[in-house]
Amino acid sequence: MRYVLIGTGSISNTYVAALSGLEGSKLVACVSRSGRRPSAAPGIECCRSLDAVAAPFDAVIITTPNGLHQDGALAAARLGKHVLTEKPLAITRPAMSAMIEACARAGVTLAVAFQHRTHPDVLALKRLLEAGALGRIYAADLSCKFWRDQAYYDSAPYRGGLDIDGGGPFMQQACHNIDLYQWFFGLPDELVAHRATFAHRIEAEDHGAVLLRHANGMIGTIVASTAARPGLPARLEVVCEKGIVVTLDDRIVNWDIDGVANPGQGAAIAAAPNVATLGDSARHQAILRDFEAAVRDGRAPLADAESARRTVELILRIYGR
Ligand SMILES: NC(=O)c1ccc[n+]([C@@H]2O[C@H](COP(=O)([O-])OP(=O)(O)OC[C@H]3O[C@@H](n4cnc5c(N)ncnc54)[C@H](OP(=O)(O)O)[C@@H]3O)[C@@H](O)[C@H]2O)c1
């Protein structure tokens, strides 16, 4: 697969690293308004727009800020190219619909880089939940008490704003964990949310808590924060008929489920929740592998657009939008 990166900031370097270890795949060009190449790929062709890319390519990887993902996806679909976009899919319902419809019309794959879904413990838990192996789920409590300093928010004018970031930790930093909550348990029937901005000069929230009630009676809670200095690992506690499961940064750390062996493999954590850059590209490499297999086999990717849309739907409901 020959890729063009649209967006050449912080996360673009994770893709350069991930692609360097993928046989048969390569980065052929990038798109940047300022002409800045990813620091890890200084010699690559760099264009101001996707239409101007001269090198032949098959797919784009979108690493522009949240509210701009649709621009890259629509441009790629017009050219008949497959799309892997960074999370979240987009930050508004119309943008998500436009992306999904354009890619469907063009017959190209649209996938989202929810790399936490590739963690072995997460995959095992998803399979057991789908098989009903944990019995009735009573409660799921997700706590994402992360920390970002003001310098992080000041590092780009859009960070922590509503028009391009689309919100604070619910839309941005805890997006992966809320995606897993949604992937595991679906959308709630009802929710009540409280949000506040405590520790930063930003437009969006930097802390909030949500109480959720699902159609099957499950009661959930979600806390998302970037005001919790120095930050804690993301924690998910599932209370069910057969016992309790606890994950910490995607790893199963407590498994007390009657009659079911702990499927946890103790693999490395999926991400460092308290830094904005990813040092490890292994999970993004897993996302790229899945994306390429989905294109090749004509199947849905692990994080397909419809399922990624539901995650943003949940976040928009938390925001009351
Ligand atoms: N999966 C993960 O774990 C993970 C981790 C970090 C970030 N992300 C996601 O990756 C995306 C990019 O995040 P990042 O931290 O890499 O962003 P960043 O460092 O700010 O880079 C953004 C890139 O987009 C380009 N861009 C185009 N239009 C822009 C505009 N109007 N304002 C600002 N930049 C614009 C910028 O280059 P030019 O100005 O030259 O065009 C820049 O190359 C976000 O969607 C974020 O949620 C995901």
Side-chain angles (χ1 to χ4, degrees):
M1 188 85 84
R2 297 160 297 181
Y3 292 97
V4 173
L5 260 175
I6 305 179
T8 56
S10 148
I11 196 72
S12 70
N13 291 298
T14 304
Y15 285 98
V16 176
L19 284 169
S20 71
L22 266 190
E23 210 175 315
S25 302
K26 63 176 177 180
L27 182 64
V28 297
C30 65
V31 174
S32 155
R33 297 171 310 171
S34 61
R36 181 176 63 150
R37 293 165 172 80
S39 47
I44 200 95
E45 179 191 351
C46 188
C47 300
R48 306 287 158 137
S49 78
L50 192 62
D51 293 322
V53 171
F57 65 100
D58 310 294
V60 300
I61 299 169
I62 300 173
T63 62
T64 48
N66 299 345
L68 303 166
H69 294 173
Q70 73 268 24
D71 299 343
L74 297 185
R78 271 196 301 276
L79 298 173
K81 309 300 180 186
H82 302 287
V83 179
L84 171 61
T85 182
E86 261 305 335
K87 44 58 63 172
L89 176 61
I91 59 171
T92 68
R93 293 181 186 90
M96 294 193 290
S97 297
M99 293 167 82
I100 291 173
E101 281 157 24
C103 289
R105 253 196 325 274
V108 296
T109 295
L110 172 58
V112 180
F114 276 129
Q115 77 269 13
H116 291 234
R117 292 194 190 190
T118 72
H119 191 285
D121 290 14
V122 167
L123 285 167
L125 193 49
K126 168 74 174 163
R127 276 194 286 270
L128 289 170
L129 284 164
E130 271 179 356
L134 306 193
R136 183 173 177 196
I137 309 297
Y138 303 151
D141 299 296
L142 171 64
S143 174
C144 303
K145 294 202 174 100
F146 303 152
W147 167 244
R148 293 288 185 277
D149 59 15
Q150 185 64 38
Y152 160 78
Y153 284 113
D154 292 344
S155 68
Y158 72 85
R159 291 202 196 275
L162 298 182
D163 57 340
I164 293 185
D165 246 359
F170 284 103
M171 185 64 88
Q172 181 57 4
Q173 290 77 18
C175 183
H176 288 289
N177 315 89
I178 295 172
D179 174 63
L180 294 185
Y181 179 102
Q182 184 283 122
W183 201 42
F184 290 158
F185 310 114
L187 290 174
D189 270 5
E190 295 170 37
L191 63 80
V192 182
H194 290 281
R195 290 170 285 119
T197 311
F198 289 121
H200 301 97
R201 292 178 304 280
I202 54 173
E203 184 185 13
E205 85 287 354
D206 65 6
H207 188 94
V210 192
L211 178 61
L212 310 94
R213 185 169 184 87
H214 291 249
N216 61 5
M218 187 188 102
I219 296 171
T221 61
I222 300 177
V223 172
S225 186
T226 50
R229 186 160 47 91
L232 293 170
R235 184 177 177 91
L236 174 68
E237 299 174 352
V238 183
V239 179
C240 60
E241 202 176 345
K242 300 266 185 85
I244 291 185
V245 182
V246 180
T247 69
L248 215 52
D249 281 345
D250 302 340
R251 272 180 306 176
I252 294 171
V253 292
N254 281 66
W255 183 268
D256 284 294
I257 298 293
D258 297 342
V260 185
N262 183 349
Q265 296 180 16
I269 60 167
N274 298 307
V275 291
T277 49
L278 281 184
D280 179 12
S281 62
R283 298 269 155 250
H284 274 80
Q285 199 173 76
I287 281 287
L288 285 162
R289 274 206 185 89
D290 174 76
F291 176 67
E292 294 182 6
V295 169
R296 190 183 56 236
D297 303 341
R299 64 156 170 87
L302 183 65
D304 66 288
E306 280 301 342
S307 145
R309 178 188 350 219
R310 285 194 290 278
T311 295
V312 176
E313 176 63 31
L314 174 53
I315 295 166
L316 291 174
R317 282 174 60 190
I318 289 170
Y319 286 142
R321 288 184 210 149

